[in-house]
């Protein structure tokens, strides 16, 4: 076997034994494949201490990551928004290659994180060496519809981190637990002025009188890659989509609601709290068909 073949075999064996140890999660940290549940990041990493880091989650289908370019550009925007140095994408790419080599992941998620690295115990920073973490694991495709629950907490669209994909996700953890306790698959946030914002890990669209509407970015949601593609591809196929501020009361008028994310794609909403909705309604079905078709055709749109 060639040297490269031997190395690939070793990587693949290593990935397989790591998969077993960590429930299928392959992990790579700062240049090394590691055991996903073992020690690999400094105890004083600023990503751990204060959530000073950013991340991306990409869908993997038949071993291939989807929309890598858009995710990489959003990572750059999140780092710049936090005031962290630019990432070295050759390092990220090496990590992606390492976790995706070996047995192809039929359907899964690739997640990469870049943090401020080893830092002080408070909110000051030393950004001399960023930490790079790349993980991948199989996952089960999301159901085609779900209930969403409006949560009593708000997104702050004027916060320093609004619209950035930072590792400070505890708000989302609390909100998703609240939704799940009420039978929901996702939680929905309004923003500080009472407008619709987004879910804990998804963007939201409503259909009113045949028009597709979604909160604009000034309302505080993350600029979801799936949201962007849905807007672009629906327009390409002749549908009208408006991104604008939407009062929370739109949820009581909407004929259809759907949410979008990297791992959910286009997911119909069959209830908002106790209000049942058709799922998928005719417009949602059309949007899902467009998204599924074009995302199969275009690997890095
Ligand atoms: C807060 C938040 N909003 C929206 C999304 C959807 O973004 P994307 O379509 O890029 O997955 C995510 C993704 O995880 C998210 O974390």
């Amino acid at each position: 076997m060639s040297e490269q073949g031997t190395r690939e075999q070793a990587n693949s064996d290593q990935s397989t034994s790591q998969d077993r140890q960590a429930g299928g999660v392959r992990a790579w940290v700062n240049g090394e494949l590691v055991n996903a549940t073992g020690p690999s990041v400094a105890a004083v990493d600023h990503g751990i201490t204060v959530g000073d880091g950013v991340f991306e989650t990409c869908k993997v289908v038949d071993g291939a990551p989807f929309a890598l370019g858009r995710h990489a550009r959003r990572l750059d925007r999140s780092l710049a928004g936090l005031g962290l140095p630019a990432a070295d994408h050759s390092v990220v790419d090496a990590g992606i290659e390492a976790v995706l080599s070996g047995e192809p992941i039929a359907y899964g998620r690739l997640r990469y994180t870049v943090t401020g690295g080893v830092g002080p115990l408070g909110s000051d920073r030393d950004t001399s060496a960023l930490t790079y973490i790349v993980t991948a694991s199989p996952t089960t495709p999301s159901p085609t519809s779900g209930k969403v629950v409006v949560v009593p907490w708000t997104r702050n669209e004027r916060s320093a981190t609004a619209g950035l994909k930072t590792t400070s996700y505890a708000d989302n953890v609390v909100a998703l637990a609240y939704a799940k306790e009420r039978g929901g698959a996702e939680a929905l946030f309004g923003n500080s002025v009472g407008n619709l914002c987004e879910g804990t890990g998804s963007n939201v669209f409503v259909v009113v009188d045949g028009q597709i509407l979604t909160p604009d970015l000034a309302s505080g949601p993350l600029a979801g890659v799936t949201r962007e593609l849905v807007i672009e591809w629906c327009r390409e196929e002749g549908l009208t989509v408006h991104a604008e501020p939407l009062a929370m009361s739109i949820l009581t008028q909407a004929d259809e609601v759907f949410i979008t994310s990297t791992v959910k794609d286009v997911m119909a909403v069959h209830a908002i709290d106790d209000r049942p909705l058709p799922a998928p309604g005719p417009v949602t079905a059309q949007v899902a068909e467009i998204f599924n078709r074009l995302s199969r055709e275009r690997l890095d749109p």
Side-chain angles (χ1 to χ4, degrees):
M1 194 182 284
S2 69
E3 194 187 320
Q4 189 185 352
T6 314
R7 204 165 43 233
E8 278 167 7
Q9 180 65 43
N11 275 348
S12 151
D13 291 350
Q14 203 176 352
S15 302
T16 312
S17 84
Q18 282 157 2
D19 288 355
R20 276 197 295 273
Q21 289 169 45
V25 180
R26 304 173 187 178
W28 174 103
V29 177
N30 291 336
E32 303 284 338
L33 278 167
V34 297
N35 177 342
T37 58
S40 53
V41 174
V44 293
D45 190 283
H46 224 220
I48 308 273
T49 310
V50 293
D52 187 17
V54 303
F55 74 103
E56 285 298 321
T57 298
C58 312
K59 182 171 63 169
V60 177
V61 181
D62 296 331
F66 175 66
L68 271 188
R70 286 186 193 245
H71 284 286
R73 292 195 287 280
R74 186 172 64 190
L75 184 92
D76 291 343
R77 294 199 300 274
S78 296
L79 285 167
L82 280 192
L84 283 170
D88 180 342
H89 279 281
S90 69
V91 175
V92 176
D93 291 348
I96 293 174
E97 199 185 328
V99 297
L100 293 185
S101 68
E103 185 67 26
I105 294 175
Y107 186 84
R109 70 169 85 198
L110 164 74
R111 176 181 160 130
Y112 58 91
T113 303
V114 180
T115 80
V118 166
L121 291 179
S123 297
D124 282 342
R125 262 187 186 150
D126 165 7
T127 56
S128 42
L130 301 176
T131 296
Y132 293 83
I133 303 168
V134 185
T135 52
S137 76
T139 186
T140 38
S142 298
T144 51
S145 78
K147 170 180 169 175
V148 299
V149 173
V150 177
V151 295
W153 308 287
T154 55
R155 281 277 196 256
N156 177 1
E157 71 284 3
R158 293 187 297 136
S159 115
T161 57
L164 307 181
K165 199 162 169 69
T166 79
T167 55
S168 302
Y169 256 42
D171 264 358
N172 293 320
V173 173
V174 172
L176 188 58
Y178 179 95
K180 292 214 160 159
E181 279 161 20
R182 289 158 182 79
E186 175 60 304
L188 271 190
F189 287 100
N191 68 12
S192 74
V193 294
N195 286 336
L196 185 59
C197 189
E198 64 176 342
T200 64
S202 59
N203 291 106
V204 59
F205 290 73
V206 297
V207 180
V208 181
D209 296 333
Q211 300 242 338
I212 306 170
L213 309 171
T214 192
D216 59 341
L217 295 181
S219 295
L222 182 75
V225 168
T226 322
R227 172 189 180 277
E228 248 168 43
L229 292 172
V230 161
I231 294 173
E232 287 176 27
W233 289 349
C234 283
R235 288 180 179 160
E236 204 178 302
E237 301 252 333
L239 301 183
T240 308
V241 188
H242 294 294
E244 59 189 40
L246 300 170
M248 284 305 275
S249 57
I250 197 96
L251 294 177
T252 58
Q253 298 152 21
D255 305 314
E256 301 174 36
V257 176
F258 61 90
I259 56 177
T260 62
S261 85
T262 288
V263 284
K264 292 187 167 68
D265 291 336
V266 173
M267 185 200 249
V269 168
H270 62 236
I272 298 182
D273 297 328
D274 294 329
R275 182 179 175 233
L277 285 161
V283 177
T284 304
Q286 201 180 352
V287 173
E289 186 281 322
I290 291 170
F291 185 82
N292 294 341
R293 173 165 44 85
L294 295 184
S295 61
R296 270 196 307 271
E297 287 171 10
R298 306 176 189 180
L299 189 60
D300 197 8

